[in-house]
Amino acid sequence: SCGCCADWITHMKQQGFTVTAHDTGNNAVRARLGLAQKYGSCHTALVDGYVIEGHVPAADIKRLLEEKPDARGLVLPGMPLGSPGMEVPEGRQQPYTVELVHRDGTTEPFAQH
């Protein structure tokens, strides 16, 4: 129900993903999927069994689906300026790192933007 979430959904659809949205809040979903609250952002997605948290670019998700690591998924905590759904008219962007979350909850950098 927020603008940046709708913009991220538009980004995903433009990149070929089919999206079904459930505007029910995501704290319970994160808990059910085993994702720590510290990785939280404004939306949580499930793509082919992987958790995607926050404004993760579609290209990173496509890479995840190609590589198929044994992991929980990808996270981008917070709402970095310039990430998909958080674009601004003047094109400014904060540097950000998408993290791969392993099954044990540890993370490692997956992509730098």
Side-chain angles (χ1 to χ4, degrees), residues 23-35:
D23 292 328
T24 58
N26 57 351
N27 288 333
V29 171
R30 266 191 234 111
R32 181 173 56 82
L33 297 174
L35 190 63

Side-chain angles (χ1 to χ4, degrees), residues 9-51:
I9 289 170
T10 298
H11 166 74
M12 294 298 290
K13 287 179 177 179
Q14 289 172 340
Q15 295 299 311
F17 287 89
T18 301
V19 178
T20 303
H22 305 276
D23 292 328
T24 58
N26 57 351
N27 288 333
V29 171
R30 266 191 234 111
R32 181 173 56 82
L33 297 174
L35 190 63
Q37 294 295 324
K38 68 182 178 180
Y39 301 125
S41 184
C42 61
H43 56 268
T44 306
L46 189 61
V47 180
D48 283 351
Y50 289 106
V51 179

Side-chain angles (χ1 to χ4, degrees), residues 64-78:
L64 176 79
L65 297 175
E66 287 176 12
E67 294 179 5
K68 298 188 184 315
D70 183 21
R72 289 198 190 281
L74 299 175
V75 296
L76 180 54

